Amino acid sequence: MRISVEIKDDIFWVGALDWSVRDFHGYSTMKGTTYNAYLVKDDKVTLFDTVKKPFKGDLLHCIYKVVEPSKIDYLVVNHVEPDHSGALPEIMEAIKPEKLFCSPRGKKALLEHYHREDWPYEVVPSGSEISLGKRTVQFLETRMVHWPDSMFSYLKEDRVLISSDAFGQHWATTERFNDEVPGGELMQHAAKYYANILLPYSGLIQKLIAEVQKMDLKIDMICPDHGLIWRENPLQIVAAYDAWTRQISKRKAVIVFDSMWNSTATMAKAICDGLAEEGVAAKMMDLRVDHRSDVMTEVMDARAVIAGSSTLNNNMLPRMADMLTYMKGLRPQNKIAAAFGSFGWSGESVRMITKTLEEMKFKVINPGVSLQYVPAHEGLRQCVELGRDIARAVKAEG
Ligand SMILES: [Fe+2]
Ligand SMILES: [Fe+2]
């Protein structure tokens, strides 16, 4: 979209829609994304964030609809990652702002990205305020949400929180507000975003939420740098983050697997039957068709992860190695786990998967099931038993 939207009096969304992006370093963005920037018209005209480099024209076009870019006095960089600052060199050239506000680590990161000593940096410590005229902006450092440099900008009088990567979703829409789209679908995108980007920083985000609650900020609107703006009941996304940061799980198991000739897939079905017999919901994620980032969304609120792969060349299948590497980096916690898989003659996969599950500090409660070639009745009975065993452990936790 190339039109600016007034989201509150004299506050404009001026970002860019990326309908085509399908991969965000390993995260599948099947519905694209948006790079949001916000423009405030006040005595000091201020731009909050920019966009990914190829979208600089979209941003400038949006700005032109509100003011001449050269009329912008201040530029705030809440986060230096290139999806928000890639267009910065060209935008700096176009607007030549009087000041460029950033966090202490933001200045360091900007210098290390763009190597421009001559920009008019103004470092703003956490809690500091600046006046735009009628409005006050308060800055709040939010380290590791999503990079060390990240910060929030809070427009006090308008009760608007510009939250950078926090509370975002990768979802390109012509709508700009949460109350204009189906709530369930929006929350699903927000959950996927949290599971695949912010999950490893859950401890820090939990502290940040507590800090913000202590500050008792009045919030009418949360404006993230990706996706929809939270206008109706904006605190619903803060409540969702609170649950996600504490990694609260449901009575649910994820069975994630890859298979060569369907023996491991058949085992997965039998495990699923075992879980169902004990009344525990299971999600089957077949890595031949399901993307790692969708698996992670399911893993986030699951109490158990059961991972299966056939053995190929004395190893697990490459898609399972990819999955486990990705999952390990995102550090999901408090999971019950087990491994399974079929093999032809050597059969290392179950042992290797189990080792990785243990490295992730998952509670491996069952030695797993490893079966040769095509599973028959007795082998499948073992798989059903594995499912029931996991289900009992899931239920024991409440
Ligand atoms: Fe980021
Ligand atoms: Fe981002």
Coordinates of all heavy atoms in Angstrom, one line a residue, residues 64-140:
Y64 N 5.3 11.9 1.6 CA 4.9 13.0 0.7 C 3.5 13.4 0.8 O 3.0 14.5 0.7 CB 5.2 12.7 -0.8 CG 6.5 13.3 -1.3 CD1 7.6 12.4 -1.7 CD2 6.7 14.7 -1.4 CE1 8.8 12.9 -2.1 CE2 7.9 15.2 -1.8 CZ 9.0 14.3 -2.2 OH 10.1 14.8 -2.6
K65 N 2.6 12.3 1.1 CA 1.2 12.6 1.2 C 0.9 13.4 2.5 O -0.2 13.9 2.6 CB 0.4 11.3 1.3 CG 0.7 10.4 0.1 CD -0.6 10.2 -0.7 CE -0.3 9.7 -2.0 NZ -1.2 8.7 -2.5
V66 N 1.8 13.4 3.4 CA 1.6 14.1 4.7 C 2.4 15.4 4.7 O 1.9 16.5 5.0 CB 2.0 13.2 5.9 CG1 1.6 13.9 7.2 CG2 1.3 11.9 5.8
V67 N 3.7 15.3 4.5 CA 4.6 16.5 4.5 C 5.7 16.3 3.4 O 6.0 15.2 3.0 CB 5.3 16.7 5.8 CG1 4.3 17.2 6.9 CG2 6.1 15.5 6.3
E68 N 6.3 17.4 3.1 CA 7.5 17.3 2.3 C 8.6 16.6 3.1 O 8.8 17.1 4.3 CB 8.0 18.8 2.0 CG 7.5 19.5 0.8 CD 8.2 19.1 -0.4 OE1 9.5 18.8 -0.3 OE2 7.6 19.0 -1.4
P69 N 9.3 15.6 2.6 CA 10.2 14.9 3.5 C 11.3 15.9 4.1 O 11.7 15.7 5.2 CB 10.9 14.0 2.5 CG 9.9 13.7 1.5 CD 9.1 15.0 1.3
S70 N 11.6 16.9 3.4 CA 12.6 17.9 3.9 C 12.1 18.6 5.1 O 12.9 19.3 5.8 CB 13.1 18.8 2.8 OG 12.0 19.6 2.4
K71 N 10.8 18.5 5.4 CA 10.2 19.2 6.6 C 10.4 18.4 7.8 O 10.0 18.9 8.9 CB 8.7 19.5 6.3 CG 8.4 20.5 5.2 CD 8.5 21.9 5.6 CE 8.0 22.9 4.5 NZ 8.9 22.9 3.3
I72 N 10.8 17.2 7.7 CA 11.0 16.3 8.9 C 12.2 16.8 9.7 O 13.3 17.0 9.2 CB 11.1 14.8 8.5 CG1 9.8 14.4 7.8 CG2 11.5 14.0 9.7 CD1 9.9 13.0 7.3
D73 N 12.0 17.0 11.0 CA 13.0 17.6 11.9 C 13.8 16.4 12.6 O 15.0 16.5 12.7 CB 12.4 18.5 12.9 CG 11.7 19.6 12.3 OD1 12.3 20.5 11.8 OD2 10.4 19.6 12.4
Y74 N 13.0 15.5 13.1 CA 13.7 14.4 13.9 C 13.4 13.0 13.2 O 12.3 12.8 12.7 CB 13.0 14.4 15.3 CG 13.3 15.6 16.2 CD1 12.6 15.7 17.3 CD2 14.4 16.5 15.9 CE1 12.8 16.8 18.2 CE2 14.6 17.5 16.7 CZ 13.8 17.7 17.9 OH 14.0 18.7 18.7
L75 N 14.4 12.2 13.4 CA 14.2 10.8 13.0 C 14.6 9.9 14.2 O 15.6 10.1 14.8 CB 15.1 10.5 11.8 CG 14.7 9.4 10.8 CD1 15.4 9.5 9.5 CD2 14.9 8.0 11.4
V76 N 13.7 9.0 14.5 CA 14.0 8.1 15.6 C 14.2 6.7 15.1 O 13.4 6.2 14.3 CB 12.8 8.0 16.6 CG1 13.0 7.0 17.7 CG2 12.5 9.4 17.2
V77 N 15.3 6.1 15.5 CA 15.6 4.7 15.1 C 15.4 3.8 16.3 O 16.2 3.8 17.2 CB 17.0 4.5 14.5 CG1 17.4 3.1 14.3 CG2 17.2 5.3 13.2
N78 N 14.3 3.1 16.3 CA 14.0 2.2 17.5 C 14.8 0.9 17.4 O 14.9 0.2 18.4 CB 12.5 1.9 17.5 CG 11.7 3.1 18.1 OD1 12.1 3.6 19.1 ND2 10.7 3.4 17.4
H79 N 15.2 0.5 16.1 CA 15.8 -0.8 15.9 C 16.6 -0.8 14.6 O 16.1 -0.3 13.6 CB 14.7 -1.8 15.9 CG 15.1 -3.3 15.7 ND1 16.3 -3.7 16.0 CD2 14.4 -4.3 15.2 CE1 16.4 -5.0 15.7 NE2 15.3 -5.4 15.2
V80 N 17.9 -1.2 14.7 CA 18.8 -1.1 13.6 C 18.7 -2.2 12.6 O 19.2 -2.1 11.5 CB 20.2 -0.9 14.1 CG1 21.2 -0.7 13.0 CG2 20.3 0.3 15.0
E81 N 18.0 -3.3 12.9 CA 18.0 -4.4 11.9 C 17.5 -3.9 10.5 O 16.7 -3.0 10.5 CB 17.0 -5.5 12.4 CG 17.2 -6.8 11.6 CD 16.6 -8.0 12.1 OE1 15.8 -7.9 13.1 OE2 16.9 -9.1 11.6
P82 N 18.1 -4.4 9.5 CA 17.9 -3.8 8.1 C 16.5 -3.8 7.6 O 16.1 -3.0 6.7 CB 18.8 -4.6 7.2 CG 19.9 -5.1 8.1 CD 19.2 -5.3 9.4
D83 N 15.6 -4.6 8.2 CA 14.2 -4.4 7.8 C 13.5 -3.1 8.3 O 12.5 -2.7 7.8 CB 13.3 -5.7 8.2 CG 13.4 -6.0 9.7 OD1 14.4 -5.7 10.3 OD2 12.5 -6.7 10.2
H84 N 14.2 -2.5 9.2 CA 13.7 -1.2 9.7 C 14.7 0.0 9.4 O 14.3 1.2 9.5 CB 13.4 -1.2 11.2 CG 12.5 -2.4 11.5 ND1 11.2 -2.4 11.1 CD2 12.8 -3.6 12.1 CE1 10.7 -3.6 11.5 NE2 11.6 -4.3 12.1
S85 N 15.9 -0.3 9.1 CA 16.8 0.8 8.9 C 17.5 0.7 7.5 O 18.3 1.6 7.2 CB 17.9 0.8 10.0 OG 18.9 -0.1 9.7
G86 N 17.2 -0.3 6.7 CA 17.9 -0.5 5.4 C 17.8 0.7 4.5 O 18.7 1.1 3.8
A87 N 16.6 1.4 4.6 CA 16.4 2.6 3.8 C 17.0 3.9 4.4 O 16.9 5.0 3.8 CB 14.9 2.8 3.5
L88 N 17.6 3.7 5.6 CA 18.1 4.9 6.3 C 19.0 5.8 5.5 O 18.8 7.1 5.5 CB 18.7 4.5 7.6 CG 18.9 5.6 8.7 CD1 17.6 6.3 9.1 CD2 19.6 5.0 9.9
P89 N 20.1 5.3 4.9 CA 21.0 6.2 4.2 C 20.3 7.1 3.2 O 20.5 8.3 3.1 CB 22.0 5.3 3.5 CG 22.0 4.0 4.4 CD 20.5 3.9 4.8
E90 N 19.4 6.5 2.4 CA 18.6 7.3 1.4 C 17.7 8.3 2.1 O 17.5 9.4 1.6 CB 17.9 6.4 0.4 CG 18.8 5.8 -0.6 CD 19.2 4.4 -0.2 OE1 19.2 4.1 1.0 OE2 19.7 3.6 -1.1
I91 N 17.0 7.8 3.1 CA 16.0 8.7 3.8 C 16.8 9.8 4.5 O 16.3 11.0 4.5 CB 15.2 7.8 4.8 CG1 14.4 6.7 4.1 CG2 14.3 8.7 5.6 CD1 13.4 7.2 3.1
M92 N 17.9 9.6 5.1 CA 18.7 10.6 5.7 C 19.1 11.7 4.6 O 19.0 12.9 4.9 CB 20.0 10.1 6.3 CG 19.8 9.3 7.6 SD 19.2 10.2 9.0 CE 20.6 11.2 9.4
E93 N 19.4 11.2 3.5 CA 19.8 12.1 2.4 C 18.6 13.0 2.0 O 18.7 14.2 1.7 CB 20.2 11.2 1.2 CG 21.3 11.8 0.3 CD 22.4 12.5 1.1 OE1 23.0 11.9 2.0 OE2 22.6 13.7 0.8
A94 N 17.4 12.4 1.9 CA 16.2 13.1 1.5 C 15.7 14.1 2.5 O 15.2 15.1 2.2 CB 15.1 12.1 1.2
I95 N 15.8 13.7 3.8 CA 15.2 14.6 4.8 C 16.2 15.5 5.6 O 15.8 16.5 6.2 CB 14.2 13.9 5.8 CG1 15.0 12.9 6.7 CG2 13.2 13.0 5.0 CD1 14.1 12.1 7.7
K96 N 17.4 15.0 5.6 CA 18.5 15.7 6.4 C 17.9 16.2 7.7 O 17.8 17.5 8.0 CB 19.0 16.9 5.6 CG 19.6 16.5 4.3 CD 20.6 17.5 3.7 CE 21.4 17.0 2.6 NZ 20.8 16.3 1.5
P97 N 17.6 15.3 8.6 CA 17.0 15.7 9.9 C 18.0 16.5 10.8 O 19.2 16.3 10.7 CB 16.6 14.4 10.5 CG 17.5 13.4 10.0 CD 17.9 13.9 8.6
E98 N 17.4 17.3 11.7 CA 18.3 18.0 12.7 C 18.9 17.0 13.6 O 20.0 17.2 14.0 CB 17.3 18.9 13.4 CG 17.8 20.0 14.3 CD 16.6 20.7 15.0 OE1 15.5 20.9 14.3 OE2 16.7 20.9 16.2
K99 N 18.1 16.0 14.0 CA 18.6 15.0 15.0 C 18.1 13.6 14.6 O 17.0 13.4 14.1 CB 18.1 15.4 16.4 CG 18.7 16.6 17.0 CD 18.1 16.9 18.4 CE 18.8 18.2 18.9 NZ 18.3 18.6 20.2
L100 N 19.0 12.7 15.0 CA 18.7 11.3 14.8 C 18.8 10.6 16.2 O 19.9 10.5 16.7 CB 19.7 10.6 13.8 CG 19.4 9.2 13.2 CD1 20.4 9.0 12.1 CD2 19.6 8.1 14.2
F101 N 17.6 10.2 16.7 CA 17.6 9.7 18.1 C 17.7 8.2 18.0 O 17.1 7.5 17.2 CB 16.3 10.0 18.7 CG 16.1 11.5 19.0 CD1 15.4 12.3 18.1 CD2 16.7 12.1 20.1 CE1 15.3 13.7 18.3 CE2 16.6 13.5 20.3 CZ 15.8 14.3 19.4
C102 N 18.5 7.6 18.9 CA 18.7 6.2 19.0 C 19.2 5.8 20.4 O 19.6 6.7 21.2 CB 19.7 5.7 18.0 SG 21.3 6.4 18.1
S103 N 19.1 4.5 20.8 CA 19.6 4.1 22.1 C 21.1 4.1 22.0 O 21.7 4.2 21.0 CB 19.1 2.7 22.4 OG 19.7 1.8 21.5
P104 N 21.8 4.0 23.2 CA 23.3 3.9 23.2 C 23.8 2.8 22.3 O 24.7 3.0 21.5 CB 23.6 3.7 24.7 CG 22.4 4.2 25.5 CD 21.2 4.0 24.6
R105 N 23.2 1.6 22.4 CA 23.6 0.5 21.5 C 23.2 0.7 20.1 O 23.7 0.2 19.1 CB 23.1 -0.8 22.0 CG 23.8 -1.3 23.2 CD 23.2 -2.5 23.8 NE 24.0 -3.1 24.9 CZ 24.1 -2.6 26.1 NH1 23.4 -1.5 26.4 NH2 24.8 -3.1 27.1
G106 N 22.1 1.5 19.9 CA 21.6 1.9 18.6 C 22.7 2.6 17.8 O 22.9 2.4 16.6
K107 N 23.3 3.6 18.5 CA 24.3 4.4 17.8 C 25.5 3.5 17.4 O 26.0 3.6 16.2 CB 24.9 5.5 18.8 CG 25.9 6.4 18.1 CD 26.4 7.5 19.0 CE 27.5 8.2 18.2 NZ 28.2 9.3 19.0
K108 N 25.9 2.6 18.3 CA 27.0 1.7 17.9 C 26.6 0.8 16.7 O 27.4 0.7 15.8 CB 27.3 0.8 19.2 CG 28.4 -0.1 19.0 CD 28.7 -0.8 20.4 CE 29.9 -1.7 20.3 NZ 29.6 -2.9 19.6
A109 N 25.4 0.3 16.8 CA 25.0 -0.6 15.7 C 24.8 0.2 14.3 O 25.2 -0.3 13.3 CB 23.6 -1.3 16.0
L110 N 24.3 1.4 14.4 CA 24.2 2.3 13.2 C 25.6 2.5 12.6 O 25.8 2.4 11.4 CB 23.5 3.6 13.5 CG 22.0 3.5 13.7 CD1 21.4 4.8 14.2 CD2 21.3 3.1 12.4
L111 N 26.5 2.8 13.5 CA 27.9 3.1 13.0 C 28.5 1.8 12.3 O 29.1 1.9 11.3 CB 28.8 3.6 14.1 CG 28.6 5.0 14.6 CD1 29.3 5.3 15.9 CD2 29.1 6.0 13.5
E112 N 28.2 0.7 12.9 CA 28.7 -0.6 12.4 C 28.0 -1.1 11.1 O 28.5 -1.9 10.4 CB 28.7 -1.6 13.5 CG 29.9 -1.4 14.5 CD 29.7 -2.1 15.8 OE1 28.7 -2.8 16.0 OE2 30.7 -1.9 16.6
H113 N 26.8 -0.5 10.9 CA 26.0 -0.9 9.7 C 26.3 0.1 8.5 O 26.5 -0.3 7.4 CB 24.5 -0.9 9.9 CG 24.0 -2.2 10.5 ND1 24.2 -2.6 11.8 CD2 23.3 -3.2 9.9 CE1 23.7 -3.7 12.0 NE2 23.1 -4.1 10.8
Y114 N 26.3 1.4 8.9 CA 26.3 2.4 7.8 C 27.6 3.3 7.7 O 27.8 4.0 6.8 CB 25.0 3.3 7.8 CG 23.8 2.4 7.8 CD1 23.0 2.2 8.9 CD2 23.5 1.7 6.6 CE1 21.9 1.3 8.9 CE2 22.4 0.8 6.6 CZ 21.6 0.6 7.7 OH 20.5 -0.2 7.7
H115 N 28.4 3.1 8.8 CA 29.7 3.8 8.8 C 29.6 5.3 8.5 O 30.4 5.8 7.7 CB 30.7 3.1 7.8 CG 30.6 1.6 7.9 ND1 31.2 0.9 9.0 CD2 30.0 0.6 7.2 CE1 30.9 -0.4 8.9 NE2 30.2 -0.6 7.8
R116 N 28.6 5.9 9.1 CA 28.4 7.4 8.9 C 28.7 8.1 10.2 O 27.8 8.2 11.1 CB 27.0 7.7 8.3 CG 26.8 7.1 6.9 CD 27.6 7.8 5.9 NE 27.4 9.2 5.8 CZ 26.6 9.7 4.9 NH1 26.0 9.0 4.0 NH2 26.4 11.0 4.8
E117 N 29.9 8.6 10.3 CA 30.2 9.4 11.6 C 29.5 10.8 11.6 O 29.3 11.4 12.6 CB 31.7 9.7 11.6 CG 32.6 8.4 11.7 CD 32.7 7.8 13.1 OE1 32.2 8.5 14.1 OE2 33.2 6.7 13.3
D118 N 29.1 11.2 10.4 CA 28.6 12.6 10.2 C 27.1 12.7 10.5 O 26.6 13.8 10.5 CB 28.9 13.1 8.8 CG 28.2 12.2 7.7 OD1 28.3 10.9 8.0 OD2 27.7 12.7 6.7
W119 N 26.4 11.6 10.8 CA 24.9 11.8 11.1 C 24.7 12.4 12.4 O 25.6 12.2 13.3 CB 24.2 10.4 11.0 CG 24.0 9.9 9.6 CD1 24.3 10.5 8.5 CD2 23.6 8.6 9.3 NE1 24.0 9.7 7.4 CE2 23.5 8.5 7.8 CE3 23.2 7.4 10.0 CZ2 23.2 7.4 7.1 CZ3 22.8 6.3 9.3 CH2 22.8 6.3 7.9
P120 N 23.6 13.2 12.6 CA 23.4 14.0 13.9 C 22.9 13.1 15.0 O 21.7 13.3 15.5 CB 22.5 15.1 13.4 CG 21.7 14.4 12.3 CD 22.6 13.5 11.6
Y121 N 23.6 12.1 15.4 CA 23.2 11.2 16.5 C 22.8 11.9 17.7 O 23.6 12.8 18.2 CB 24.2 10.1 16.8 CG 24.7 9.3 15.6 CD1 25.9 9.6 14.9 CD2 23.9 8.2 15.1 CE1 26.3 8.9 13.8 CE2 24.3 7.5 14.0 CZ 25.5 7.8 13.4 OH 25.9 7.1 12.3
E122 N 21.8 11.5 18.4 CA 21.5 12.0 19.7 C 21.0 10.8 20.5 O 20.0 10.2 20.3 CB 20.3 13.0 19.6 CG 19.9 13.6 20.9 CD 20.5 15.1 21.1 OE1 21.1 15.6 20.1 OE2 20.3 15.6 22.2
V123 N 22.0 10.3 21.4 CA 21.7 9.1 22.1 C 20.7 9.4 23.3 O 20.9 10.3 24.0 CB 23.0 8.5 22.7 CG1 22.8 7.4 23.7 CG2 23.9 8.0 21.5
V124 N 19.7 8.6 23.4 CA 18.7 8.8 24.4 C 18.7 7.6 25.4 O 18.3 6.5 25.0 CB 17.3 9.0 23.8 CG1 17.1 10.4 23.3 CG2 17.0 8.0 22.6
P125 N 19.1 7.9 26.6 CA 19.1 6.8 27.6 C 17.6 6.3 27.9 O 16.7 7.1 27.7 CB 19.7 7.3 28.8 CG 20.1 8.8 28.5 CD 19.5 9.1 27.2
S126 N 17.5 5.1 28.4 CA 16.2 4.6 28.8 C 15.5 5.5 29.8 O 16.1 6.0 30.8 CB 16.3 3.2 29.3 OG 15.1 2.6 29.3
G127 N 14.3 5.8 29.5 CA 13.5 6.7 30.5 C 13.5 8.1 30.1 O 12.7 8.9 30.6
S128 N 14.4 8.5 29.2 CA 14.6 10.0 28.9 C 13.4 10.4 28.0 O 12.8 9.6 27.3 CB 15.9 10.2 28.2 OG 16.0 9.5 27.0
E129 N 13.2 11.7 28.0 CA 12.1 12.2 27.2 C 12.5 13.4 26.3 O 13.5 14.1 26.6 CB 11.0 12.8 28.2 CG 10.4 11.8 29.0 CD 9.3 12.3 30.0 OE1 9.2 13.6 30.0 OE2 8.6 11.5 30.6
I130 N 11.8 13.6 25.2 CA 12.1 14.7 24.4 C 10.7 15.4 24.1 O 9.7 14.7 24.1 CB 12.8 14.4 23.0 CG1 12.0 13.4 22.2 CG2 14.2 13.9 23.3 CD1 12.5 13.3 20.7
S131 N 10.7 16.6 23.8 CA 9.5 17.3 23.4 C 9.4 17.5 21.9 O 10.4 17.9 21.3 CB 9.4 18.7 24.2 OG 8.3 19.4 23.7
L132 N 8.2 17.3 21.3 CA 8.1 17.6 19.9 C 7.3 18.9 19.7 O 7.0 19.3 18.6 CB 7.3 16.4 19.2 CG 7.9 15.0 19.4 CD1 7.1 14.0 18.5 CD2 9.4 15.0 19.0
G133 N 6.9 19.5 20.9 CA 6.0 20.7 20.8 C 4.8 20.4 21.7 O 4.9 20.5 23.0
K134 N 3.7 19.9 21.1 CA 2.6 19.5 22.0 C 2.8 18.2 22.6 O 2.1 17.8 23.6 CB 1.3 19.5 21.1 CG 0.9 20.9 20.5 CD -0.5 20.8 19.8 CE -0.4 20.3 18.4 NZ 0.4 21.2 17.5
R135 N 3.7 17.4 22.1 CA 3.8 16.0 22.5 C 5.2 15.8 23.2 O 6.2 16.4 22.8 CB 3.8 15.1 21.3 CG 2.4 15.0 20.7 CD 2.5 14.0 19.5 NE 1.2 13.9 18.9 CZ 0.7 14.8 18.2 NH1 1.3 15.9 17.8 NH2 -0.6 14.6 17.7
T136 N 5.1 14.8 24.1 CA 6.4 14.3 24.7 C 6.6 12.8 24.2 O 5.7 12.0 24.2 CB 6.2 14.2 26.2 OG1 5.6 15.5 26.6 CG2 7.5 14.1 26.9
V137 N 7.8 12.6 23.9 CA 8.2 11.2 23.6 C 9.1 10.6 24.7 O 10.1 11.3 25.0 CB 9.0 11.0 22.2 CG1 9.2 9.6 21.9 CG2 8.3 11.8 21.1
Q138 N 8.7 9.5 25.2 CA 9.6 8.8 26.2 C 10.2 7.6 25.5 O 9.5 6.8 24.9 CB 8.7 8.4 27.4 CG 9.6 7.9 28.5 CD 8.8 7.6 29.8 OE1 7.6 7.4 29.8 NE2 9.5 7.6 30.9
F139 N 11.5 7.4 25.8 CA 12.1 6.2 25.2 C 12.4 5.2 26.3 O 12.7 5.5 27.4 CB 13.5 6.7 24.6 CG 13.4 7.7 23.5 CD1 13.7 9.0 23.7 CD2 12.9 7.3 22.3 CE1 13.5 10.0 22.7 CE2 12.7 8.3 21.3 CZ 13.0 9.6 21.5
L140 N 12.2 3.9 25.9 CA 12.4 2.8 26.8 C 13.3 1.8 26.1 O 12.9 1.2 25.1 CB 11.0 2.3 27.2 CG 11.0 1.1 28.1 CD1 11.5 1.6 29.5 CD2 9.6 0.6 28.2

